[in-house]
Amino acid sequence: MTAPRPICAVVVTHNSAAVIEDCLLSVQAAFAGLEDTSITLVDNGSTDDTLEIAATSGVRAAVLTQPNLGYAAGVNAGIAAAPESDILVLNPDIRLDPAAVRALRAAVTAPGTGIAVPELLDGRGKPQPSLRRRPTTRRAIGEALLGGTRAGRFPSLGELVVDRAAYERPGTADWATGACWLVSRECVDAVGRLDERYFLYSEETEYLLRAGDHGFAVRYDPRAVAVHLGGEQSTSDYLWALATTNRIRLRRERDGRVAATSMWLAVLGNELLRAAVRRGSAGTKHRRAVRELLRMPEWPEGPEDAGAPAYVCFAAQDWWYHNRAHSDFQLMRSIARRRKVLVVNSIGMRMPTPGKSTRTGARILRKLRSVAKFVRKPLPGFYVMSPLPLPFYGSPLLRKVNAVLVRAQVRAVCAALRIHRPAYVVTIPTAWDVVRPMPRRALVFNRSDRHSEFPEADRGAIEALEHGLLENADLVTYVSHALLDEERPRTGERAHFLDHGVDLEHFRPRARHQWPADLAEIQGPRIGFFGALDDFVVDFDLLERIAAELPDCSLVLIGDATHDMSRFDKYPNVHRLGFRPHETIPAYGSGFDVAIMPWLGNDWIRHANPIKLKEYLALGLPVVSTDFAELAGYTDRVRVAHDHAEFLDAIRTSIAEGAPKPAGELRASVRAFSWHSRADELTALVEGARATPEDRP
């Protein structure tokens, strides 16, 4: 019989001092006698004694703190902290019956089930109607005319399930009140994260409905019981209005703007009717809802968002054809949870020319294809544009022409997206000419690499642009302590170390049956590398020695190459799989017996901090690397080689003995480095230190 999966209870708090202790004690009692259970408390910026009371409750819980980014952001942080577990999502005003978790665990294992919910009682022990039907315009009209409870008696006219018989036996529902629900790891992995744009209310509705779209049922079991104190929404005008407007947003995102407009009319009619009938304080929340419906922005603004800027990032890569794991893409995707983001695809550092560049024609063609896309919205709140540049940075005149051309395109897109005085995050130095005269709230130089060391770049021109950014940026962020220390005399207190992150949910080990077929058929042991095979960073002589001197091992290379790879054709144990989508990389990496980082010993690498280091560790892989400065903090987990012979010996040791630490410890060692935490740190730096509009041109 398969052992039950671990369960982590995730409790999201915000000024919950009055209720958190009893909640934690009830979870502890419900976990009694069960193995592999844990509690994670995610606090969204409480200003009361929530954390102090939790600490003295006697209940062991991991505590995560973050700004008040909303309920969904809190749940997502808890999910990320327990990547191998089923997740029990709890409001802090929940009191679990001692048998509740056992019953929910049994319910969620039923075939086709992804989420299990309990019977909810109010503080007096009276059953709460907690099951719901899918939201539709007809049901919104029915509730406006009949009231929620009366309309619920007729399935076509109300969302609320009020028939007591439905609560006396196990069954399924379209969705349920989100105060207490257990979601299986299989469901989390398939459905993904909660949508943080709602801030509060409707995010659980959207998630449970999305789970149904993926074929996971929401199963109710009356043997699981919990008390839900509740009541805030009904007594707070702000929360009532937020819940009301989020119903419209939910319908828009699921069914389109036409359906959302009909829903808006129905909900507005409902609130107008009750605002007119209920005089005085009884109608206040309905009048607030009417006002919010009439001026409803696309998404609600949380308390941390007031006055926050949009972000425009000049990336060093192209979203449409480069690896989307690059740091500027990862940071901007995470920032887009709460801010509008525009990514400007790379405007280049030189024009590819025959004799100086590799694959010249192919590179020009793929850039033209990217430019043809111009502006797209691949993710919520996340826009990507590909301007047409003239990358002749060696000529002062053509540099000015290029800056004017690119600036005009970026300004036009910003105007169309209603982005005014954004925070600019510049990764590619050639953007300095573009952003220099542009009005802004802040300018961040994302100093991820020393781009003037790039072999094909016009070193003098790029170095001058780097110096301009170093002198004029409000903030300079580094991923390399070595580079930060070298440039500290120039940047002073504006310099900040912002380490790379890792997507722990994405980079989790996959079972063998989930490996891609082309990898699974390769004989082990497999020595693997995924990422760009660039000739200015990868030691191809070392790769060839691995192929030649370890003929009984398979060398698996995943990624585009700028080097002539025909030198490996004579080695039958070398498997060049080429570019693979980012979505598939963890499945490929899971099949590596050893993961390698075979870098050249040049200035580029000395100032580098490869993202793949944390990705390898998140997969729990034995890692062998050549030495570089940022590796100093990882020598207890990574085998470091100083020459080719040591590298080969380290591979042999890793094949024979595995990693220096167990896979679980390797993964745990990078758990704190989520991209969301990196993005939160960046926005705190930008928005805490940003200039006033009058301070910038």
Side-chain angles (χ1 to χ4, degrees), residues 80-81 83 193 325-327 330-331 333-334 498-509 530 582 585-586 609-620 634 637 666-679:
R193 304 168 64 88
H326 285 289
S327 63
Q330 294 279 17
L331 287 169
R333 288 170 68 176
S334 292
L498 184 67
D499 203 355
H500 283 318
V502 63
D503 188 342
L504 274 171
E505 291 183 57
H506 188 52
F507 282 92
R508 54 184 173 77
F530 57 67
H582 181 62
I585 293 300
N609 184 355
I611 294 173
K612 72 176 82 298
L613 170 60
K614 293 185 179 68
E615 293 171 346
Y616 284 161
L617 293 173
L619 290 170
Y634 294 86
R637 289 156 278 174
L666 297 180
R667 184 171 171 81
S669 72
V670 295
R671 186 166 291 162
F673 295 93
S674 71
W675 282 113
H676 285 345
S677 70
R678 305 299 92 186

Side-chain angles (χ1 to χ4, degrees), residues 121-126 128 227-229:
L121 309 177
D122 65 19
R124 297 171 296 174
K126 182 180 178 181
Q128 292 182 349
V227 172
H228 179 216
L229 301 180

Side-chain angles (χ1 to χ4, degrees), residues 429 445 447 449-452 462-470:
F445 184 18
R447 190 70 154 137
D449 293 295
R450 179 172 276 170
H451 286 88
S452 53
I462 300 303
E463 199 168 60
L465 292 165
E466 289 176 326
H467 289 172
L469 284 163
L470 289 171

Side-chain angles (χ1 to χ4, degrees), residues 566-607:
S566 62
R567 67 190 289 181
F568 296 101
D569 290 345
K570 60 187 175 184
Y571 298 104
N573 62 329
V574 175
H575 302 267
R576 293 185 281 121
L577 302 186
F579 175 82
R580 291 293 184 269
H582 181 62
E583 292 75 17
T584 67
I585 293 300
Y588 278 99
S590 296
F592 295 172
D593 294 289
V594 182
I596 58 172
M597 294 194 295
W599 309 125
L600 292 167
N602 55 26
D603 280 348
W604 184 280
I605 289 298
R606 191 169 71 85
H607 297 127

Side-chain angles (χ1 to χ4, degrees), residues 505-674:
E505 291 183 57
H506 188 52
F507 282 92
R508 54 184 173 77
R510 305 306 203 264
R512 187 182 182 91
H513 71 273
Q514 296 176 295
W515 296 357
D518 55 351
L519 178 78
E521 65 187 16
I522 296 173
Q523 182 177 348
R526 287 170 288 272
I527 303 165
F529 174 93
F530 57 67
L533 290 155
D534 291 323
D535 51 11
F536 62 95
V537 292
V538 173
D539 188 341
F540 287 94
D541 292 339
L542 174 55
L543 288 179
E544 189 165 4
R545 282 197 63 176
I546 293 170
E549 298 186 30
L550 297 173
D552 294 331
C553 299
S554 295
L555 178 59
V556 181
L557 303 175
I558 299 171
D560 280 335
T562 60
H563 183 81
D564 181 6
M565 302 296 285
S566 62
R567 67 190 289 181
F568 296 101
D569 290 345
K570 60 187 175 184
Y571 298 104
N573 62 329
V574 175
H575 302 267
R576 293 185 281 121
L577 302 186
F579 175 82
R580 291 293 184 269
H582 181 62
E583 292 75 17
T584 67
I585 293 300
Y588 278 99
S590 296
F592 295 172
D593 294 289
V594 182
I596 58 172
M597 294 194 295
W599 309 125
L600 292 167
N602 55 26
D603 280 348
W604 184 280
I605 289 298
R606 191 169 71 85
H607 297 127
N609 184 355
I611 294 173
K612 72 176 82 298
L613 170 60
K614 293 185 179 68
E615 293 171 346
Y616 284 161
L617 293 173
L619 290 170
L621 298 172
V623 181
V624 175
S625 178
T626 52
D627 198 14
F628 58 95
E630 286 303 319
L631 203 57
Y634 294 86
T635 54
D636 60 331
R637 289 156 278 174
V638 176
R639 292 189 172 95
V640 183
H642 300 89
D643 57 37
H644 288 189
E646 284 188 16
F647 202 99
L648 288 161
D649 286 342
I651 290 176
R652 294 185 183 99
T653 301
S654 297
I655 291 171
E657 302 177 8
K661 293 187 176 184
E665 290 187 28
L666 297 180
R667 184 171 171 81
S669 72
V670 295
R671 186 166 291 162
F673 295 93
S674 71

Side-chain angles (χ1 to χ4, degrees), residues 317-566:
Q317 294 81 29
D318 192 295
W319 174 265
W320 302 116
Y321 57 77
H322 280 134
N323 188 337
R324 294 175 185 174
H326 285 289
S327 63
D328 36 13
F329 293 153
Q330 294 279 17
L331 287 169
M332 291 303 115
R333 288 170 68 176
S334 292
I335 288 174
R337 295 176 299 157
R338 302 301 308 169
R339 309 283 186 267
K340 185 178 290 184
V341 165
L342 171 64
V343 168
V344 181
N345 278 329
S346 174
I347 58 175
M349 292 194 295
R350 78 282 183 235
M351 172 66 80
T353 53
K356 293 184 178 180
S357 308
T358 59
R359 301 168 60 234
T360 303
R363 289 162 73 172
I364 292 174
L365 181 59
R366 72 180 184 180
K367 174 53 73 174
L368 290 175
R369 287 173 176 164
S370 175
V371 169
K373 295 179 183 290
F374 195 46
V375 183
R376 302 288 175 92
K377 185 183 179 183
L379 298 168
F382 183 91
Y383 299 84
V384 177
M385 73 169 291
S386 297
L388 178 64
L390 295 175
F392 298 100
Y393 297 108
S395 164
L397 175 61
L398 291 178
R399 265 180 56 184
K400 291 181 181 178
V401 172
N402 180 65
V404 171
L405 175 65
V406 174
R407 189 183 306 128
Q409 296 172 76
V410 173
R411 278 178 165 163
V413 172
C414 285
L417 296 178
R418 298 181 181 178
I419 293 176
H420 307 290
R421 291 188 177 275
Y424 287 104
V425 179
V426 173
T427 300
I428 192 163
T430 48
W432 170 233
D433 284 341
V434 179
V435 302
R436 183 181 344 207
M438 297 179 77
R440 56 185 179 265
R441 297 285 290 273
L443 174 61
V444 180
F445 184 18
N446 179 28
R447 190 70 154 137
S448 58
D449 293 295
R450 179 172 276 170
H451 286 88
S452 53
E453 299 288 344
F454 184 66
E456 296 180 18
D458 182 326
R459 179 164 184 165
I462 300 303
E463 199 168 60
L465 292 165
E466 289 176 326
H467 289 172
L469 284 163
L470 289 171
E471 295 292 340
N472 292 279
D474 299 298
L475 294 166
V476 183
T477 58
Y478 292 87
V479 296
S480 164
H481 284 98
L483 187 55
L484 186 154
D485 291 341
E486 286 181 21
E487 295 179 347
R488 175 75 79 177
R490 174 171 288 169
T491 56
E493 294 183 357
R494 294 176 296 122
H496 296 270
F497 181 76
L498 184 67
D499 203 355
H500 283 318
V502 63
D503 188 342
L504 274 171
E505 291 183 57
H506 188 52
F507 282 92
R508 54 184 173 77
R510 305 306 203 264
R512 187 182 182 91
H513 71 273
Q514 296 176 295
W515 296 357
D518 55 351
L519 178 78
E521 65 187 16
I522 296 173
Q523 182 177 348
R526 287 170 288 272
I527 303 165
F529 174 93
F530 57 67
L533 290 155
D534 291 323
D535 51 11
F536 62 95
V537 292
V538 173
D539 188 341
F540 287 94
D541 292 339
L542 174 55
L543 288 179
E544 189 165 4
R545 282 197 63 176
I546 293 170
E549 298 186 30
L550 297 173
D552 294 331
C553 299
S554 295
L555 178 59
V556 181
L557 303 175
I558 299 171
D560 280 335
T562 60
H563 183 81
D564 181 6
M565 302 296 285
S566 62

